[in-house]
Amino acid sequence: MKFSIEQKQFQNALSIALKGISSKNIMEILKGIYIEAEDDHITLTSNNLEIGVKTRVQAEVSESGIAIIEGKILSDIVRKLPDEKITISVNDNNVVKISTSKTKFNIKSMINNQFPQVEEFENDRYEKIDMKLFSDMVRKTHFAASQDETKGVLTGSLIEIDSNSISMVSIDGFRLAIKRIPTNYNLGEKKVVVPVKTLQEVTKLSSNENCDLRILFEERNVSFVIDNTIINSRVLEGEFLNYKQIIPKEFMTKIKINNHEFISSLERAMLVSNNNLVKLVISDDTVVVSAKNSEIGNLEEDIPVNQQGKDLEIAFNIKYFLDCLKNLDEEYIYMNFNTNLSPCVINPESDEDYTYLLLPVRL
């Protein structure tokens, strides 16, 4: 195998391929990137058995062939090379030669021992989805998924599809985020839970927000195609919580508040809060935001709101508030309450298709 490629192009392709390599890999072969050179391009493949990545990039191929090279080593070398054309070749002794006009590296390739490939499907099996809308769904829900690997299915986001819409739902036991987009896509009715890490990697791959994302759902896997890259991922098995039963239908207290003012106030409260705890006192069209720490000090701040219903005193984890609020684009949000022990439900003023539910902390 022998090919030449510009350093920046190759480094960009490697950064994509590295997404399929996990530091947790026990099998040595899974630390490698499978490189195939043919015609006028090279294909880079990685696979950690949970997520597989295949990306294609143009190159000057003088000798077709394949090689498996440890991904981190290869990426570190290429990143340190000058911005010029790189030539990579593999000899009969499985030695990889990486050279520029002044630099030559010789490194060992890995033995081609049943490297797990990333399956490609026929184009007509995929359905196109607007990348901007999909990225917006991920951005507004991913933070509510659990980061505790022992919680299994809750480390993913539920993608729920019917004839009129696609919904993305994340729950970690303390909060719930739902983003829905109306569609006329022909995806059929489906419910699959995709690892949040996979969804985040997919949104990072688009060259621009106007590109098309193509999705294929299978029984135990989901496949995404963005530009010249394929990401295949397993879906998470297990019973996802019935989130529709969790959301209250009626509320005793409702307020409309400026989102930017509220974010700024919560960030100030975090400076003096004990365990990120903030207390909200709602009365007379005002929310009093307060936080205290016996070793630092305290904060009390008034924010004007439009209030409907009863007065209320309630407390929350500041971080859980900010995770949501910083990902909302609207100037004003609605916050809905019942008691100081029941969840708060947040809705942006101009987006009825987004809901965030947050459990309070006992005072």
Side-chain angles (χ1 to χ4, degrees):
M1 180 183 77
K2 185 176 182 180
F3 64 88
S4 298
I5 187 171
E6 292 295 332
Q7 184 266 348
K8 284 186 177 179
Q9 281 184 294
F10 196 37
Q11 182 56 39
N12 287 340
L14 285 170
S15 67
I16 294 172
L18 284 173
K19 298 179 187 301
I21 295 178
S22 170
S23 59
K24 299 178 183 179
N25 284 336
I26 299 175
M27 297 172 60
E28 194 69 20
I29 193 69
L30 300 184
K31 297 178 182 178
I33 293 177
Y34 183 98
I35 302 176
E36 182 173 7
E38 58 182 346
D39 300 330
D40 61 350
H41 65 272
I42 58 170
T43 303
L44 286 69
T45 303
S46 59
N47 197 332
N48 64 22
L49 304 184
E50 293 188 351
I51 180 174
V53 179
K54 178 183 284 189
T55 190
R56 179 177 296 176
V57 62
Q58 295 286 311
E60 298 173 12
V61 178
S62 51
E63 184 178 336
S64 60
I66 62 171
I68 304 174
I69 307 172
E70 186 169 335
K72 186 177 185 308
I73 292 175
L74 179 59
S75 178
D76 287 346
I77 289 173
V78 172
R79 187 169 58 250
K80 296 297 184 181
L81 291 175
D83 181 12
E84 59 180 83
K85 187 168 289 187
I86 302 170
T87 298
I88 296 179
S89 61
V90 182
N91 65 22
D92 294 337
N93 295 319
N94 286 324
V95 174
V96 180
K97 183 178 180 180
I98 306 170
S99 60
T100 65
S101 59
K102 297 179 180 179
T103 306
K104 292 181 177 62
F105 277 97
N106 288 318
I107 62 174
K108 292 181 179 180
S109 65
M110 305 176 75
I111 303 299
N112 184 9
N113 185 18
Q114 296 183 327
F115 189 91
Q117 291 296 318
V118 174
E119 187 173 1
E120 293 189 55
F121 302 94
E122 297 86 355
N123 285 336
D124 59 6
R125 295 186 60 190
Y126 287 87
E127 186 70 32
K128 288 183 179 180
I129 293 180
D130 185 284
M131 188 67 185
K132 186 175 182 179
L133 292 178
F134 187 83
S135 296
D136 190 54
M137 295 177 77
V138 175
R139 177 171 64 92
K140 292 180 177 178
T141 60
H142 76 276
F143 48 81
S146 177
Q147 297 182 18
D148 183 353
E149 295 295 332
T150 64
K151 290 193 174 181
V153 71
L154 295 186
T155 62
S157 292
L158 171 68
I159 299 178
E160 191 172 36
I161 302 168
D162 59 32
S163 58
N164 300 313
S165 66
I166 301 176
S167 298
M168 190 171 289
V169 186
S170 298
I171 306 174
D172 68 0
F174 302 99
R175 60 234 179 114
L176 158 68
I178 307 168
K179 175 60 183 173
R180 174 182 173 273
I181 56 172
T183 71
N184 55 3
Y185 298 127
N186 185 30
L187 289 168
E189 292 193 2
K190 294 182 178 67
K191 287 185 179 182
V192 295
V193 182
V194 181
V196 162
K197 292 178 182 178
T198 298
L199 297 173
Q200 289 179 287
E201 295 297 354
V202 169
T203 61
K204 293 174 186 176
L205 285 177
S206 60
S207 56
N208 61 80
E209 285 192 329
N210 296 319
C211 75
D212 283 324
L213 166 67
R214 295 186 290 142
I215 302 180
L216 168 64
F217 293 101
E218 294 207 304
E219 184 177 354
R220 294 188 177 181
N221 296 281
V222 59
S223 181
F224 301 90
V225 178
I226 314 98
D227 296 330
N228 295 317
T229 300
I230 300 171
I231 290 186
N232 290 352
S233 171
R234 68 183 179 94
V235 299
L236 298 177
E237 298 181 2
E239 192 68 27
F240 201 83
L241 294 176
N242 187 346
Y243 68 92
K244 294 178 182 178
Q245 292 184 347
I246 301 173
I247 305 171
K249 301 293 190 295
E250 297 180 351
F251 301 96
M252 299 175 65
T253 304
K254 300 181 181 181
I255 63 171
K256 178 182 176 181
I257 188 169
N258 184 290
N259 188 35
H260 305 298
E261 285 186 29
F262 193 34
I263 289 172
S264 296
S265 181
L266 291 174
E267 288 178 334
R268 287 188 284 271
M270 187 175 280
L271 298 175
V272 294
S273 65
N274 185 30
N275 295 324
N276 286 336
L277 181 68
V278 64
K279 184 171 74 172
L280 307 180
V281 178
I282 303 168
S283 65
D284 299 327
D285 287 328
T286 302
V287 170
V288 179
V289 178
S290 63
K292 61 181 179 179
N293 186 308
S294 58
E295 297 182 0
I296 300 175
N298 64 77
L299 164 86
E300 189 170 291
E301 184 170 330
D302 296 352
I303 303 177
V305 299
N306 292 333
Q307 178 185 345
Q308 297 179 30
K310 297 183 177 181
D311 296 347
L312 182 67
E313 185 174 317
I314 193 168
F316 294 95
N317 183 311
I318 299 174
K319 181 181 181 303
Y320 290 170
F321 252 135
L322 292 176
D323 283 345
C324 166
L325 302 181
K326 287 185 174 182
N327 281 288
L328 300 182
D329 308 312
E330 288 76 8
E331 184 177 2
Y332 288 93
I333 60 169
Y334 293 103
M335 296 171 60
N336 308 283
F337 310 88
N338 281 311
T339 72
N340 63 356
L341 298 178
S342 59
C344 165
V345 175
I346 296 175
N347 303 109
E349 181 184 27
S350 57
D351 185 2
E352 61 183 16
D353 293 319
Y354 181 76
T355 298
Y356 185 68
L357 179 148
L358 173 61
L359 293 178
V361 178
R362 286 184 179 272
L363 291 168

